[in-house]
Amino acid sequence: MLKAVILIGGPQKGTRFRPLSFDVAKPLFPVAGVPMIQHHIEACAKVPHLKEILLIGFYQPNEALSRFLSSAQQEFKVSIRYLQEYSALGTAGGIYHFRDQILMGGTKAFFVMNADVCCDFPLMEMLQFQKRHGDTNSFVMLGTTANRQQSLNYGCIVENQDTHEVLHYVEKPSTFVSDIINCGVYLLSPEIFQYIGNAFQKNQEDLSIEENTNGWQRPESIRLEQDIFTALASHGKLFVYKTNGFWSQIKSAGSAIYASRLYLNSYNKTHPERLAKTKDGGPTIEGNVYIHPTANVNPTATLGPNVSIGTGVTIGAGVRVRESIILHGATVQDHSCVLNSIVGWDSIIGRWARVEGTPSDPNPNDPYAKIDSETLFRDGKLTPSITILGCNVSIPAEVIILNSIVLPHKDLNRSFKNQIIL
Amino acid sequence: MKALILVGGYGTRLRPLTLSIPKPLVDFCNKPILLHQIEALVKAGVKHVILAVSYMSEMLEKEMKEQEQRLGIRISLSHEKEPLGTAGPLALARDLLTDSLEPFFVLNSDVICEFPFEEMLRFHKQHGKEGTIVVTKVEEPSKYGVVVYEAETGRIHRFVEKPQVFVSNKINAGLYIFTPKMLERIQLRPTSIEKEIFPVMAEEGQLYAMELQGFWMDIGQPKDFLTGMCMYLQSVRHKNPERLHTGPGFIGNVLVEPSAKIGQNCTIGPNVTIGPEVVIEDGVRIKRCTILKGSRIHSHSWLESCIIGWSSAVGQWVRMENVSVLGEDVIVKDELYLNGASVLPHKSISDSVPEPSIIM
């Protein structure tokens, strides 16, 4: 019996995804046309004998989440349930708290995946790898290669080249340790709960001894990376499966556009029907473009590369959209130009307007470069980044909105550059 | 009658346009700047125009020969080999100017206005003194030299350069008419007419001011070139509205050469001049611009307050604003944003210019 757990976090996590996260929970944000975690679910649905997917997080149950769950269950014919933590329990605390649910039915192994990774999810390969390495109860971590400098931003894995055992693991080191990084996708067995249980005990003891200066610290809040894997390294239990497939984190809105590009590109192999093609009487398509069937796109528009057009969107005559995500219900009026931007739900962009951001893509000449998690300000100035329009924003005709973030429900009346507009 | 036009040198303030042709030949509202002035002079009875130049241009010589034929007048070039200031060139052309006893006009080549040459002649003959300066009212007089004169007679008392407190709001408009005797005051050496000649003439009661009616602009730099264009087009609307282009998709004052082509779903104007053989593709929005001969603006672009140089090409979905100037034969690639970009001739731009810069 095989299961999968997707850690979806909660509203206090993922604040770098604002203002988009004001209107939709980050795990449901559409990347390459479908909700972020649907990519995880699709990968799970392809694994035979995977019986159940559990979402663990601390969002309050809401309509969007429930609707997504029920439609996903129907579409992928696998049981999907949401288990709500009573508070943020960390990447290990959550699965420990719900261990009975995970083990119910005789689970032999289960995947654990972070919701905010963008990946080709080589789950079958991880299963086969697990059979060949360590004992039947070993744990497998998915790893990939980063460049030396950027590896410091991730969990670093030192592996035994022959056995692929994890010899050493450290989260975000300050000096170089290894260029193999943790992808946030694991294959675990029920034995993990022993280790987490031990860590829980230890936490409780520590907290009763020390004075608790931080009122938020709970013994049940346990992190897989720092608290479990670091200790497990070199004990013959933890192994790393390296992938060369695409991988990226989705921390900020800018990285959502980069992740969209990776997924849209993968559609050429996995879901070619999702990619739009230039045809007579239709818009000009360059590169990989997703257009929802309910969108209305004028034939004189030019879209792509790397564009996702959501449900009910209207694209007017002579519009140019490139490297952007246009969310549900938005209207982009005639002759306007949208580059490197995310246009929020139900927003309106006036005629001849220019909405432009600056991409923060990784260096294309370095195959192992990853997207930087940009800081919002540098030297007191707003770093040029993707332009984001929150939901229901109105951009008048003929203006330029450059490298700016506009919060929801705002009606602009002039051009803006390099600003956050409240 | 004769006129001397102070053309001067390289016209560096109107670069990058003047890197390709001499400033007097730059088209202002579809006619070379110099021709606006010469045609007005001819209409007032001038038969001989002298161009005071400090750098000789073959292009200018050739063009002036053609205009001589066309207008039936004589055009001479007076070439100062070393800088002579604002009065020296008059001394250099002394022989040409004194072979008759009639008064002669002097004008600064950057000035555009409703040229009042007939009125100037009448006013000058009426007061009978040596010189008349045309003055114009401005909003910010302390940026210029102001003229203080008696309102009734026009007799000038004095000049004040860039006054700190309000003295007068009338400034020297760069149009003069002089009696040939006045040339005795100027020697052939670098001399400033405002600093050395006029103050003496004023003291002697020989200098009078005539107030200009209507618009006035010194179009020697791109920002003022565009402002002057708006004023000129407005005056066309009052005098010859049939010259302006109207119809669906046209707003306000728009001047279009017949050989230009304009596509569908464009919105052009207000205050746009489109030169010969220009092609504007579909869905373009242009406001407050001059598009010079042979240029092409590709579809869906948006231009405001720009000068597009001869034979340039602006790509699709380009946005240009804030007095961006393209020199001759510049290519701007698709989807770029140019904000106050000044682009030198024969350059291809493939990156946006988000803040005002010069692109070489």
Side-chain angles (χ1 to χ4, degrees), chain A residues 140-217:
Chain A
V140 180
M141 187 188 292
L142 183 65
T144 189
T145 314
N147 72 28
R148 285 181 71 100
Q149 230 179 324
Q150 290 179 323
S151 68
L152 305 181
N153 299 322
Y154 300 93
C156 297
I157 302 167
V158 179
E159 73 161 335
N160 176 318
Q161 302 275 13
D162 302 312
T163 65
H164 302 295
E165 188 197 343
V166 174
L167 297 175
H168 187 70
Y169 179 83
V170 60
E171 186 71 16
K172 294 192 182 52
S174 50
T175 52
F176 178 75
V177 168
S178 164
D179 59 5
I180 313 291
I181 60 167
N182 174 7
C183 289
V185 177
Y186 318 109
L187 175 56
L188 306 176
S189 65
E191 223 182 287
I192 194 76
F193 296 122
Q194 280 180 321
Y195 294 98
I196 305 179
N198 294 341
F200 177 35
Q201 294 277 43
K202 185 163 177 304
N203 278 359
Q204 282 198 308
E205 287 159 15
D206 285 346
L207 285 174
S208 63
I209 300 169
E210 289 170 20
E211 213 171 278
N212 192 0
T213 49
N214 180 357
W216 295 107
Q217 195 58 28

Coordinates of all heavy atoms in Angstrom, one line a residue, chain A residues 140-217:
Chain A
V140 N 14.4 7.7 1.0 CA 15.0 8.3 -0.2 C 14.7 9.7 -0.3 O 13.6 10.1 -0.1 CB 14.6 7.5 -1.4 CG1 15.3 8.2 -2.7 CG2 14.9 6.1 -1.4
M141 N 15.7 10.5 -0.5 CA 15.6 12.0 -0.7 C 15.9 12.2 -2.2 O 16.8 11.7 -2.7 CB 16.6 12.7 0.2 CG 16.5 14.2 0.3 SD 17.8 14.9 1.2 CE 17.5 14.3 2.8
L142 N 15.0 13.0 -2.8 CA 15.3 13.4 -4.2 C 16.3 14.6 -4.2 O 16.1 15.6 -3.5 CB 14.0 13.9 -4.9 CG 14.1 14.2 -6.4 CD1 14.5 13.0 -7.2 CD2 12.8 14.8 -6.9
G143 N 17.4 14.5 -5.0 CA 18.4 15.5 -5.0 C 18.6 16.0 -6.4 O 18.3 15.3 -7.4
T144 N 19.2 17.2 -6.6 CA 19.6 17.7 -7.9 C 20.8 18.5 -7.7 O 21.2 18.8 -6.6 CB 18.4 18.5 -8.5 OG1 18.8 18.8 -9.9 CG2 18.2 19.8 -7.8
T145 N 21.5 18.9 -8.8 CA 22.7 19.6 -8.7 C 22.5 21.1 -8.8 O 21.7 21.6 -9.7 CB 23.6 19.2 -9.9 OG1 23.6 17.8 -9.9 CG2 25.1 19.7 -9.6
A146 N 23.1 21.9 -8.0 CA 23.1 23.3 -8.0 C 24.5 23.9 -8.3 O 25.4 23.1 -8.1 CB 22.5 23.9 -6.7
N147 N 24.6 25.2 -8.6 CA 26.0 25.7 -8.7 C 26.5 26.0 -7.3 O 25.7 26.1 -6.3 CB 26.1 26.8 -9.7 CG 25.5 28.1 -9.2 OD1 25.4 28.4 -8.0 ND2 25.0 29.0 -10.1
R148 N 27.8 26.1 -7.2 CA 28.4 26.1 -5.8 C 27.8 27.3 -5.0 O 27.6 27.1 -3.8 CB 29.9 26.3 -6.0 CG 30.7 25.1 -6.4 CD 32.1 25.3 -6.5 NE 32.7 25.5 -5.2 CZ 33.4 24.6 -4.5 NH1 33.6 23.4 -5.1 NH2 34.0 24.8 -3.4
Q149 N 27.7 28.4 -5.6 CA 27.3 29.6 -4.8 C 25.8 29.4 -4.3 O 25.5 29.7 -3.2 CB 27.3 30.8 -5.7 CG 28.0 32.0 -5.2 CD 28.0 33.1 -6.2 OE1 28.1 32.8 -7.4 NE2 27.8 34.3 -5.8
Q150 N 25.0 29.0 -5.2 CA 23.5 28.9 -4.9 C 23.2 27.8 -3.9 O 22.2 27.8 -3.3 CB 22.7 28.8 -6.1 CG 22.7 30.1 -6.9 CD 21.9 30.0 -8.2 OE1 21.9 29.0 -8.8 NE2 21.2 31.1 -8.5
S151 N 24.1 26.8 -3.9 CA 23.8 25.6 -3.0 C 23.6 26.0 -1.6 O 23.0 25.4 -0.8 CB 24.9 24.5 -3.2 OG 26.1 25.0 -2.6
L152 N 24.3 27.1 -1.2 CA 24.2 27.6 0.2 C 22.8 28.0 0.6 O 22.5 28.1 1.7 CB 25.1 28.8 0.4 CG 26.6 28.7 0.0 CD1 27.3 30.0 0.3 CD2 27.2 27.5 0.8
N153 N 21.9 28.2 -0.4 CA 20.5 28.6 -0.1 C 19.6 27.4 0.1 O 18.4 27.5 0.4 CB 19.9 29.4 -1.3 CG 20.7 30.7 -1.5 OD1 21.1 31.3 -0.5 ND2 20.8 31.0 -2.8
Y154 N 20.1 26.2 0.0 CA 19.3 25.0 0.1 C 19.9 24.0 1.1 O 20.9 24.2 1.8 CB 19.3 24.3 -1.3 CG 18.7 25.1 -2.4 CD1 19.5 25.9 -3.2 CD2 17.3 25.2 -2.6 CE1 19.0 26.7 -4.2 CE2 16.8 26.0 -3.6 CZ 17.6 26.8 -4.4 OH 17.1 27.6 -5.4
G155 N 19.2 22.8 1.2 CA 19.7 21.7 2.0 C 20.8 21.0 1.2 O 20.5 20.6 0.1
C156 N 22.0 20.9 1.8 CA 23.1 20.3 1.0 C 23.3 18.9 1.4 O 23.3 18.5 2.6 CB 24.4 21.1 1.2 SG 24.2 22.8 0.6
I157 N 23.5 18.0 0.4 CA 23.7 16.6 0.7 C 25.0 16.1 0.2 O 25.5 16.3 -0.9 CB 22.6 15.8 -0.2 CG1 21.2 16.3 0.1 CG2 22.7 14.3 0.0 CD1 20.2 15.9 -0.9
V158 N 25.7 15.4 1.2 CA 27.0 14.8 0.8 C 26.7 13.3 0.6 O 26.2 12.7 1.6 CB 28.1 15.0 1.9 CG1 29.4 14.3 1.4 CG2 28.3 16.5 2.1
E159 N 27.0 12.7 -0.5 CA 26.6 11.3 -0.7 C 27.8 10.5 -0.9 O 28.9 10.9 -1.3 CB 25.7 11.2 -2.0 CG 26.5 11.4 -3.3 CD 25.8 10.9 -4.5 OE1 24.9 10.0 -4.4 OE2 26.1 11.4 -5.6
N160 N 27.7 9.2 -0.6 CA 28.6 8.2 -0.9 C 28.4 7.8 -2.4 O 27.3 7.4 -2.8 CB 28.4 6.9 0.0 CG 29.3 5.8 -0.4 OD1 29.6 5.5 -1.6 ND2 29.9 5.1 0.6
Q161 N 29.5 8.1 -3.2 CA 29.3 7.9 -4.7 C 28.8 6.5 -5.1 O 28.1 6.4 -6.1 CB 30.6 8.3 -5.4 CG 31.2 9.6 -5.1 CD 30.5 10.7 -6.0 OE1 29.5 10.5 -6.7 NE2 31.1 11.9 -6.0
D162 N 29.2 5.5 -4.4 CA 28.9 4.2 -4.8 C 27.5 3.7 -4.2 O 26.7 3.2 -5.0 CB 30.0 3.2 -4.3 CG 31.3 3.5 -4.8 OD1 31.4 3.8 -6.0 OD2 32.3 3.6 -4.0
T163 N 27.3 3.9 -2.9 CA 26.1 3.4 -2.4 C 25.0 4.4 -2.4 O 23.8 4.1 -2.1 CB 26.3 3.0 -0.9 OG1 26.6 4.2 -0.2 CG2 27.4 2.0 -0.8
H164 N 25.3 5.7 -2.7 CA 24.3 6.8 -2.7 C 23.7 7.0 -1.3 O 22.7 7.6 -1.2 CB 23.3 6.6 -3.7 CG 23.8 6.4 -5.1 ND1 24.5 7.5 -5.8 CD2 23.8 5.4 -5.9 CE1 24.9 7.0 -6.9 NE2 24.5 5.8 -7.1
E165 N 24.4 6.6 -0.3 CA 23.9 6.9 1.1 C 24.2 8.4 1.4 O 25.3 8.9 0.9 CB 24.6 6.0 2.1 CG 24.0 6.2 3.5 CD 24.9 5.6 4.6 OE1 25.8 4.9 4.3 OE2 24.6 6.0 5.8
V166 N 23.4 9.0 2.1 CA 23.6 10.4 2.5 C 24.6 10.3 3.7 O 24.2 9.8 4.8 CB 22.3 11.1 2.9 CG1 22.6 12.5 3.5 CG2 21.4 11.2 1.8
L167 N 25.8 10.9 3.5 CA 26.8 10.8 4.6 C 26.6 12.0 5.5 O 27.0 12.0 6.7 CB 28.2 10.8 4.0 CG 28.5 9.6 3.1 CD1 29.8 9.7 2.5 CD2 28.4 8.3 4.0
H168 N 26.2 13.1 4.9 CA 26.1 14.4 5.7 C 25.0 15.2 5.1 O 24.9 15.3 3.9 CB 27.5 15.1 5.6 CG 27.5 16.3 6.5 ND1 27.6 16.2 7.9 CD2 27.6 17.6 6.2 CE1 27.7 17.4 8.4 NE2 27.7 18.3 7.4
Y169 N 24.2 15.9 6.0 CA 23.2 16.8 5.5 C 23.2 18.0 6.3 O 23.2 18.0 7.5 CB 21.8 16.1 5.6 CG 20.7 17.0 5.1 CD1 20.4 17.1 3.7 CD2 19.9 17.8 6.0 CE1 19.4 17.9 3.3 CE2 18.9 18.6 5.5 CZ 18.7 18.7 4.2 OH 17.7 19.5 3.7
V170 N 23.2 19.2 5.7 CA 23.0 20.4 6.4 C 22.2 21.4 5.6 O 22.3 21.5 4.4 CB 24.4 21.0 6.7 CG1 25.2 21.3 5.5 CG2 24.3 22.3 7.6
E171 N 21.3 22.1 6.3 CA 20.3 23.0 5.7 C 20.9 24.4 5.6 O 21.4 24.9 6.6 CB 19.1 23.0 6.6 CG 17.9 23.8 6.0 CD 17.2 23.1 4.8 OE1 17.4 21.9 4.6 OE2 16.5 23.8 4.1
K172 N 20.9 25.0 4.5 CA 21.4 26.3 4.2 C 22.8 26.6 5.0 O 22.8 27.5 5.9 CB 20.4 27.3 4.7 CG 19.1 27.3 3.8 CD 18.3 28.5 4.1 CE 17.0 28.6 3.4 NZ 16.1 27.4 3.4
P173 N 23.8 26.0 4.6 CA 25.1 26.2 5.3 C 25.6 27.6 4.9 O 25.2 28.2 4.0 CB 26.0 25.1 4.7 CG 25.4 24.8 3.4 CD 24.0 25.0 3.5
S174 N 26.6 28.1 5.8 CA 27.1 29.4 5.4 C 28.4 29.2 4.6 O 28.9 30.2 4.0 CB 27.4 30.2 6.6 OG 28.1 29.5 7.6
T175 N 29.0 28.0 4.6 CA 30.1 27.8 3.7 C 29.8 26.6 2.8 O 28.9 25.8 3.1 CB 31.4 27.4 4.5 OG1 31.1 26.4 5.4 CG2 31.9 28.7 5.3
F176 N 30.5 26.4 1.7 CA 30.2 25.4 0.8 C 30.4 24.0 1.4 O 31.4 23.7 2.0 CB 31.1 25.5 -0.5 CG 30.8 24.4 -1.5 CD1 29.7 24.5 -2.3 CD2 31.7 23.3 -1.6 CE1 29.4 23.4 -3.2 CE2 31.4 22.3 -2.5 CZ 30.3 22.4 -3.3
V177 N 29.3 23.2 1.1 CA 29.4 21.8 1.6 C 29.3 20.8 0.5 O 30.1 19.9 0.3 CB 28.2 21.5 2.6 CG1 28.0 20.0 2.9 CG2 28.5 22.3 3.9
S178 N 28.3 21.0 -0.4 CA 28.1 20.1 -1.5 C 27.2 20.8 -2.5 O 26.4 21.7 -2.2 CB 27.4 18.9 -1.0 OG 26.8 18.1 -2.1
D179 N 27.3 20.4 -3.8 CA 26.5 21.0 -4.8 C 25.3 20.2 -5.1 O 24.5 20.4 -6.0 CB 27.2 21.4 -6.1 CG 27.9 20.1 -6.7 OD1 27.6 19.0 -6.2 OD2 28.6 20.3 -7.7
I180 N 25.1 19.1 -4.3 CA 23.8 18.3 -4.4 C 22.8 18.9 -3.4 O 23.1 18.9 -2.2 CB 24.0 16.8 -4.1 CG1 25.3 16.3 -4.8 CG2 22.8 16.0 -4.4 CD1 25.2 16.1 -6.3
I181 N 21.7 19.3 -3.9 CA 20.7 19.9 -3.0 C 19.4 19.1 -2.9 O 19.1 18.3 -3.7 CB 20.4 21.3 -3.4 CG1 19.7 21.3 -4.8 CG2 21.6 22.2 -3.3 CD1 19.1 22.7 -5.2
N182 N 18.7 19.3 -1.8 CA 17.5 18.6 -1.4 C 16.3 19.2 -2.2 O 16.1 20.4 -2.2 CB 17.3 18.8 0.1 CG 15.9 18.3 0.6 OD1 15.2 17.7 -0.2 ND2 15.6 18.5 1.8
C183 N 15.6 18.4 -2.9 CA 14.5 18.9 -3.8 C 13.2 19.0 -3.0 O 12.2 19.5 -3.6 CB 14.3 17.9 -4.9 SG 15.6 18.0 -6.2
G184 N 13.1 18.5 -1.8 CA 11.8 18.6 -1.1 C 10.8 17.5 -1.5 O 9.6 17.7 -1.3
V185 N 11.4 16.4 -2.0 CA 10.5 15.3 -2.4 C 11.2 14.0 -1.7 O 12.3 13.8 -2.0 CB 10.4 15.1 -3.9 CG1 9.6 13.8 -4.2 CG2 9.8 16.3 -4.5
Y186 N 10.4 13.3 -0.9 CA 11.0 12.2 -0.2 C 10.2 10.9 -0.3 O 9.0 11.0 -0.6 CB 11.1 12.5 1.3 CG 11.6 13.9 1.6 CD1 10.7 14.8 2.1 CD2 12.9 14.3 1.4 CE1 11.1 16.1 2.4 CE2 13.3 15.6 1.6 CZ 12.4 16.5 2.2 OH 12.8 17.8 2.4
L187 N 10.8 9.8 -0.2 CA 10.1 8.5 -0.1 C 10.4 7.9 1.2 O 11.6 7.6 1.5 CB 10.5 7.6 -1.3 CG 9.9 6.1 -1.3 CD1 8.4 6.2 -1.3 CD2 10.4 5.4 -2.5
L188 N 9.4 7.8 2.1 CA 9.7 7.4 3.5 C 8.9 6.1 3.8 O 8.0 5.7 3.1 CB 9.2 8.5 4.5 CG 9.8 9.9 4.2 CD1 9.2 10.9 5.2 CD2 11.3 9.9 4.3
S189 N 9.4 5.5 4.9 CA 8.6 4.3 5.3 C 8.2 4.5 6.7 O 8.6 5.5 7.4 CB 9.6 3.1 5.3 OG 10.6 3.3 6.2
P190 N 7.3 3.7 7.3 CA 6.7 3.9 8.6 C 7.8 4.1 9.7 O 7.5 4.7 10.7 CB 5.9 2.7 8.8 CG 5.5 2.2 7.5 CD 6.6 2.5 6.6
E191 N 9.0 3.5 9.4 CA 10.0 3.7 10.4 C 10.4 5.1 10.8 O 10.9 5.4 11.8 CB 11.3 3.0 9.9 CG 12.0 2.1 11.0 CD 13.2 1.5 10.4 OE1 13.1 0.5 9.6 OE2 14.3 2.0 10.8
I192 N 10.1 6.0 9.8 CA 10.4 7.4 10.1 C 9.8 7.9 11.4 O 10.3 8.8 12.0 CB 10.0 8.3 8.8 CG1 10.7 9.7 8.9 CG2 8.5 8.5 8.7 CD1 12.1 9.7 8.6
F193 N 8.6 7.4 11.7 CA 7.9 7.9 12.8 C 8.6 7.6 14.1 O 8.5 8.4 15.1 CB 6.4 7.4 12.9 CG 5.6 7.9 11.7 CD1 5.0 7.0 10.8 CD2 5.5 9.2 11.4 CE1 4.3 7.4 9.7 CE2 4.8 9.7 10.3 CZ 4.2 8.7 9.5
Q194 N 9.4 6.6 14.1 CA 10.2 6.3 15.3 C 11.2 7.5 15.5 O 11.4 8.0 16.6 CB 11.0 5.1 15.2 CG 10.3 3.8 15.4 CD 11.1 2.6 15.3 OE1 12.0 2.5 14.4 NE2 11.0 1.6 16.1
Y195 N 11.8 7.8 14.5 CA 12.8 8.9 14.6 C 12.2 10.2 14.9 O 12.7 11.0 15.8 CB 13.6 9.0 13.3 CG 14.5 7.8 13.0 CD1 14.0 6.8 12.1 CD2 15.7 7.7 13.6 CE1 14.8 5.7 11.8 CE2 16.5 6.5 13.3 CZ 16.0 5.6 12.4 OH 16.8 4.5 12.2
I196 N 11.0 10.5 14.3 CA 10.4 11.8 14.7 C 9.9 11.7 16.1 O 10.0 12.7 16.8 CB 9.2 12.0 13.7 CG1 9.6 12.0 12.2 CG2 8.6 13.4 14.0 CD1 8.5 12.3 11.2
G197 N 9.4 10.5 16.5 CA 8.9 10.4 17.9 C 10.1 10.7 18.9 O 9.9 11.4 19.9
N198 N 11.3 10.2 18.6 CA 12.4 10.5 19.4 C 12.7 12.0 19.5 O 13.0 12.5 20.6 CB 13.7 9.8 18.9 CG 13.5 8.2 19.0 OD1 12.6 7.8 19.7 ND2 14.3 7.5 18.3
A199 N 12.7 12.6 18.3 CA 12.9 14.0 18.3 C 11.9 14.8 19.1 O 12.2 15.8 19.8 CB 12.9 14.5 16.9
F200 N 10.7 14.3 19.1 CA 9.6 15.0 19.8 C 9.9 14.9 21.3 O 9.8 15.9 22.1 CB 8.3 14.3 19.5 CG 7.1 14.7 20.2 CD1 6.9 16.1 20.6 CD2 6.0 13.9 20.6 CE1 5.8 16.5 21.3 CE2 4.9 14.3 21.3 CZ 4.8 15.6 21.6
Q201 N 10.3 13.7 21.8 CA 10.6 13.5 23.2 C 11.7 14.4 23.6 O 11.6 15.1 24.6 CB 11.2 12.0 23.4 CG 10.2 10.9 23.2 CD 9.3 10.7 24.4 OE1 8.9 11.6 25.0 NE2 9.1 9.4 24.7
K202 N 12.7 14.4 22.8 CA 13.9 15.3 23.1 C 13.5 16.7 23.2 O 13.9 17.5 24.1 CB 15.0 15.1 22.0 CG 16.3 15.8 22.3 CD 17.4 15.2 21.4 CE 18.7 16.0 21.6 NZ 18.5 17.5 21.4
N203 N 12.6 17.2 22.3 CA 12.1 18.6 22.4 C 11.4 18.9 23.7 O 11.6 19.9 24.3 CB 11.2 18.8 21.2 CG 11.9 19.2 19.9 OD1 13.1 19.2 19.9 ND2 11.1 19.4 18.9
Q204 N 10.6 17.9 24.1 CA 9.8 18.1 25.3 C 10.8 18.3 26.5 O 10.6 19.1 27.3 CB 8.9 17.0 25.5 CG 7.7 17.0 24.7 CD 6.6 16.2 25.2 OE1 6.8 15.0 25.4 NE2 5.4 16.7 25.4
E205 N 11.8 17.4 26.5 CA 12.8 17.5 27.6 C 13.5 18.8 27.6 O 13.6 19.5 28.6 CB 13.8 16.3 27.5 CG 13.2 15.0 27.9 CD 14.0 13.8 27.3 OE1 15.1 14.0 26.9 OE2 13.4 12.7 27.3
D206 N 14.0 19.2 26.4 CA 14.7 20.4 26.3 C 13.9 21.6 26.7 O 14.4 22.5 27.4 CB 15.1 20.7 24.8 CG 16.3 19.8 24.4 OD1 16.9 19.2 25.3 OD2 16.5 19.7 23.2
L207 N 12.7 21.6 26.3 CA 11.8 22.8 26.6 C 11.5 22.9 28.1 O 11.3 23.9 28.7 CB 10.5 22.8 25.8 CG 10.7 23.2 24.3 CD1 9.4 23.0 23.6 CD2 11.2 24.6 24.2
S208 N 11.4 21.7 28.8 CA 11.1 21.8 30.2 C 12.3 22.2 31.0 O 12.2 22.8 32.0 CB 10.6 20.4 30.7 OG 11.6 19.5 30.6
I209 N 13.6 21.9 30.4 CA 14.8 22.4 31.1 C 15.0 23.9 30.9 O 15.2 24.6 31.8 CB 16.0 21.6 30.6 CG1 15.8 20.1 30.8 CG2 17.3 22.1 31.3 CD1 16.9 19.3 30.1
E210 N 15.1 24.2 29.6 CA 15.3 25.7 29.3 C 14.2 26.5 29.6 O 13.0 26.1 29.6 CB 15.6 25.8 27.8 CG 16.9 25.2 27.4 CD 17.0 25.2 25.8 OE1 16.3 26.0 25.2 OE2 17.8 24.4 25.3
E211 N 14.5 27.8 29.8 CA 13.4 28.8 29.9 C 12.9 29.1 28.6 O 13.6 29.3 27.6 CB 14.0 30.1 30.6 CG 12.9 30.7 31.4 CD 13.6 31.9 32.2 OE1 14.2 31.6 33.3 OE2 13.5 33.0 31.7
N212 N 11.6 29.0 28.5 CA 11.0 29.2 27.2 C 10.8 30.7 26.9 O 9.8 31.3 27.2 CB 9.6 28.5 27.1 CG 9.1 28.4 25.7 OD1 9.7 28.8 24.8 ND2 7.9 27.8 25.6
T213 N 11.8 31.2 26.2 CA 11.7 32.7 25.9 C 10.8 32.9 24.7 O 10.2 34.0 24.6 CB 13.1 33.2 25.5 OG1 13.7 32.4 24.6 CG2 14.0 33.3 26.8
N214 N 10.8 31.9 23.8 CA 9.9 32.1 22.6 C 8.6 31.4 22.8 O 8.5 30.2 22.8 CB 10.6 31.6 21.4 CG 9.8 31.7 20.1 OD1 8.7 32.2 20.2 ND2 10.3 31.3 19.0
G215 N 7.6 32.1 23.1 CA 6.3 31.5 23.4 C 5.7 30.7 22.4 O 4.8 29.8 22.6
W216 N 6.2 30.8 21.1 CA 5.6 30.0 20.0 C 6.2 28.6 19.9 O 5.6 27.8 19.3 CB 5.8 30.7 18.7 CG 5.1 32.0 18.6 CD1 5.6 33.3 18.7 CD2 3.7 32.2 18.6 NE1 4.7 34.2 18.6 CE2 3.5 33.6 18.6 CE3 2.6 31.3 18.5 CZ2 2.2 34.1 18.5 CZ3 1.3 31.9 18.4 CH2 1.1 33.3 18.4
Q217 N 7.3 28.4 20.6 CA 8.0 27.1 20.3 C 7.2 26.0 21.0 O 6.9 26.0 22.2 CB 9.4 27.2 21.0 CG 10.4 26.1 20.5 CD 10.6 26.1 19.0 OE1 10.4 27.1 18.4 NE2 10.8 24.9 18.5

